[in-house]
Amino acid sequence: MTVLPDDGLSLAAEFPDATREQWRSLVTGVLRKSGRDAEGAAAEEALSTKLQDGLVTRPLYTADDTAAAPGYPGFAPFTRGGRPEGGAVAGWDVRQRHTGADPARVNEAVLADLETGVTSLWLAVGDTGVPVSGLAAALDGVYLDLAPLALDAGAAFAPAARELFRLYDERGVPRTAAHGTLGADPVGQLARTGREDADATASAAELAALCDREYPGLRAIAVDALPYHDAGASDAQELGCSLATGVGWLRDLTDAGLSVEAACGQLEFRYAATADQFLTIAKLRAARRLWARVADVCGAPAHVAAQRQHAVTSAVMMTRRDPWVNMLRTTVASLAAGVGGADAVTVLPFDHALGLSDAFARRIARNTSTILLEESHLGRVIDPAGGSWYVERLTDELAHAAWEWFQEIERAGGQRAALRAGLVGERLAATWAERSGRLATRREPITGVSEFPQLSQAPVERETPPAPPGGGLPSVHRDDAYEALRARSDAHLAATGARPKVFLAALGPAAAHTARAGFAAGLFQAGGIEPVHDPVSVAADTAADAFTRSGATVACICSSDKLYAEGAAPVAEALKSAGALRVFLAGKPGEQRDTYLRAGVDEFVVAGGDAIAVLTSVLDRMGVA
């Protein structure tokens, strides 16, 4: 160890080391001021956040929070990256997705992307994209020896691959210059559709053998975890399903005659990147570590054990209302994917949930990666999150949770068997039901949907894309429940010329009612119910007339607890006498609950309450179909 001479520039050397107990004591004082009595470990627990998979994010991490050694970039267990040089200097592969069915229009979009920053293409072919016969037209003018191509052909992966091979030969592309993935994914097809082609596995194995022999830059198999993420899987469940799928392919490909080394080289793994940046970073790091363990157990040499990763910004997090906010979500997600070490990153356009993306949306999507790479230089730092006690611990805990789920799938006979038996579907449905509860209570807020909705914003219209195959695992979105409510409001607007309305009956001055009136307005707007103007200050003798003139059919009383005790009951009586179908009171009623109920208050709306249940019931009562 080298001891540097004292240069007089001390770094906190004159301060004694702080202890965890001292920190907890300070936390206890802060919690006590906010009305929460917790000391010691309980104080720390009070500031912790529960995640899915039994994980907990704590408020403080120190050097005592140890995790498995992550190794070095490019070396087993590859936690810190699959290449020694990391993403430098070129950064990750900017892979744009195209799902149109018209080869000419897809070709126009493809050429525009390649000319302005995209480095590879992810092309939907077959039922969800261009027909196989239109692949040549869609790729007209594309230099196939320069632009790697990832196919997503579903059940048509074999004919799509043959057509691509034909194009390579026709255009004089050397087989050593072909790069990308053929996207053969029978397991993903089973997950999405519930159907299985008996010959699909053999066809995929034949393509893998061909690529291994003649196309060294092509990978035949996509281990796609997106069907599980799109069905509501947690991060550990997504990882476990991908591991089980990858192990299944190692068995299938080695049974078909490939070596373990060759089989590993034919797999590309695809994961979702979400706006929870630290979980995304930890997920990609954990995925490489877990796959390195699998490869090691299977006897694969170290140089092929590094998982090839394609990260795609989550479709589950994308919203249909206020879609512009999706730009922020995808920016955070793509940053997390890059920091997490993904080899290729696809940023879904902000209008992805609405239909076929336009040129502006695709431009924003590709420029998201460009800014992160060219202006922020994110690709020039190897494993930026490495060494963070929080990230290292989260990576380790997530890896263990994923391994436990992976082992359960293996005990059930593997991924295909677990899908057929319903194990995967049942477990993912339970996870999504639990998360739906957090969405309904707005403990997991959705900006622009459940928080800060904009009822006056004009809808963004897009062309309908080819319908994806169904019949297997569902596709869910965070905004599903709120979207159903907003659709009812839209239908009411189209039929009557006005949205359903709520009258905000404010008691006292603005200082007393502004906070709860703002809370109530946001709550009702999340269900498409429009507050009438601004909160109107009323009293028992003016409430009925103000309500009648508003044209609303329901009302919500908003003020402070003190003013509620003084005047909420007579105002509720007046509102009911004026014909209010429902009278709400914003806030907890406390000891006055029975008094308010007798006066005509039907329900109390509070932070953390079930917003979906409240909004559904009030729309039902208002007769909104």
Side-chain angles (χ1 to χ4, degrees):
M1 179 178 69
T2 302
V3 179
L4 298 177
D6 183 3
D7 59 2
L9 301 175
S10 62
L11 183 62
E14 66 275 21
F15 295 101
D17 292 338
T19 66
R20 198 179 201 100
E21 287 68 29
Q22 289 174 313
W23 177 80
R24 284 176 172 174
S25 178
L26 294 173
V27 170
T28 298
V30 173
L31 290 174
R32 188 172 292 122
K33 290 179 181 179
S34 64
R36 303 173 68 180
D37 193 10
E39 298 182 4
E44 185 170 348
E45 185 178 348
L47 298 181
S48 298
T49 302
K50 292 183 178 180
L51 308 176
Q52 292 180 309
D53 306 308
L55 306 183
V56 176
T57 296
R58 298 192 298 276
L60 178 67
Y61 288 83
T62 70
D64 294 332
D65 295 292
T66 58
Y72 296 101
F75 295 90
F78 303 102
T79 304
R80 306 204 65 190
R83 295 176 292 175
E85 70 275 19
V89 170
W92 57 83
D93 172 16
V94 180
R95 184 175 294 179
Q96 190 88 314
R97 179 166 174 78
H98 293 272
T99 57
D102 182 351
R105 294 180 61 181
V106 169
N107 178 252
E108 181 181 356
V110 160
L111 294 177
D113 282 345
L114 290 173
E115 290 170 357
T116 50
V118 166
T119 55
S120 72
L121 302 171
W122 185 18
L123 192 61
V125 183
D127 294 338
T128 59
V130 297
V132 173
S133 60
L135 188 59
L139 296 175
D140 185 36
V142 175
Y143 294 101
L144 297 178
D145 54 340
L146 300 178
L149 186 64
L151 297 181
D152 182 5
F157 69 85
R162 289 193 294 270
E163 176 64 7
L164 181 61
F165 292 150
R166 188 190 68 79
L167 289 178
Y168 285 146
D169 292 340
E170 181 181 273
R171 299 182 185 182
V173 177
R175 297 192 173 187
T176 55
H179 290 85
T181 175
L182 302 180
D185 185 25
V187 182
Q189 188 73 0
L190 171 62
R192 288 188 174 93
T193 67
R195 299 186 297 274
E196 193 171 11
D197 184 348
D199 299 325
T201 299
S203 298
E206 290 175 4
L207 288 176
L210 177 62
C211 290
D212 181 58
R213 291 193 311 269
E214 303 181 25
Y215 294 89
L218 283 180
R219 294 173 184 251
I221 311 297
V223 179
D224 193 353
L226 295 187
Y228 315 109
H229 174 82
D230 291 348
S234 67
D235 292 286
Q237 288 171 335
E238 184 183 343
L239 286 175
C241 288
S242 73
L243 280 183
T245 302
V247 168
W249 276 116
L250 291 185
R251 295 189 182 107
D252 292 334
L253 295 180
T254 53
D255 287 347
L258 275 72
S259 66
V260 173
E261 177 180 353
C264 285
Q266 288 303 307
L267 305 182
E268 179 176 273
F269 290 75
R270 185 173 295 136
Y271 296 106
T274 73
D276 191 327
Q277 59 178 337
F278 289 111
L279 268 175
T280 295
I281 293 168
K283 177 168 67 177
L284 296 176
R285 298 173 93 247
R288 291 192 296 271
R289 172 184 166 186
L290 291 170
W291 185 246
R293 175 59 179 159
V294 168
D296 179 57
V297 171
C298 293
H303 70 275
V304 297
Q307 191 181 72
R308 175 77 182 182
Q309 292 180 338
H310 173 202
V312 184
T313 58
S314 167
V316 175
M317 73 179 180
M318 305 288 269
T319 63
R320 287 154 280 196
R321 307 285 172 163
D322 205 357
W324 318 101
V325 183
N326 291 330
M327 296 184 196
L328 304 178
R329 297 185 179 103
T330 55
T331 297
V332 175
S334 55
L335 180 147
V339 171
D343 299 286
V345 177
T346 294
V347 178
L348 296 180
F350 71 87
D351 57 357
H352 172 79
L354 298 169
L356 291 175
S357 300
D358 65 5
F360 173 73
R362 291 194 304 274
R363 174 190 171 197
I364 295 297
R366 63 177 178 260
N367 282 351
T368 300
S369 280
T370 300
I371 290 172
L372 292 173
L373 289 169
E374 302 299 334
E375 295 189 16
S376 300
H377 306 296
L378 195 63
R380 298 187 181 184
V381 181
I382 300 175
D383 189 28
S388 161
W389 293 316
Y390 170 45
V391 172
E392 297 292 0
R393 185 62 178 264
L394 185 60
T395 299
D396 186 66
E397 292 175 346
L398 187 57
H400 280 90
W403 190 263
E404 183 177 343
W405 170 233
F406 159 64
Q407 289 181 312
E408 185 175 349
I409 295 174
E410 285 294 285
R411 286 193 295 269
Q415 185 66 13
R416 287 184 175 90
L419 282 168
R420 296 190 204 103
L423 172 63
V424 173
E426 291 172 4
R427 195 64 58 83
L428 268 54
T431 299
W432 180 247
E434 185 272 333
R435 188 178 181 189
S436 295
R438 298 202 311 274
L439 292 165
T441 57
R442 303 198 293 177
R443 286 188 169 89
E444 182 180 335
I446 311 173
T447 303
V449 178
S450 66
E451 301 286 342
F452 311 109
Q454 300 288 330
L455 293 186
S456 61
Q457 187 178 76
V460 178
E461 303 290 345
R462 291 290 184 267
E463 292 183 45
T464 302
L473 297 175
S475 292
V476 300
H477 299 83
R478 290 199 308 159
D479 65 351
D480 280 340
Y482 293 97
E483 181 65 24
L485 297 172
R486 292 288 294 273
R488 294 176 66 178
S489 174
D490 289 348
H492 189 77
L493 174 63
T496 67
R499 293 193 182 276
K501 300 183 183 299
V502 60
F503 176 70
L504 300 183
L507 307 183
H513 64 65
T514 295
R516 279 177 169 160
F519 161 77
L523 170 66
F524 287 105
Q525 285 175 315
I529 303 171
E530 182 179 5
V532 179
H533 307 300
D534 295 321
V536 179
S537 293
V538 298
D541 58 344
T542 62
D545 180 62
F547 175 76
T548 301
R549 285 187 287 105
S550 73
T553 56
V554 298
C556 183
I557 303 172
C558 308
S559 193
S560 65
D561 291 343
K562 179 181 179 181
L563 292 181
Y564 282 160
E566 296 174 359
V571 168
E573 291 175 352
L575 292 170
K576 270 299 176 74
S577 67
L581 297 176
R582 300 280 287 177
V583 175
F584 298 89
L585 186 141
K588 296 180 179 179
E591 296 177 355
Q592 301 292 321
R593 178 184 181 88
D594 291 340
T595 301
Y596 299 148
L597 291 174
R598 286 194 298 269
V601 173
D602 296 289
E603 196 165 352
F604 305 95
V605 289
V606 298
D610 192 333
I612 295 299
V614 169
L615 295 169
T616 300
S617 67
V618 71
L619 286 176
D620 291 344
R621 190 63 182 267
M622 296 167 80
V624 178

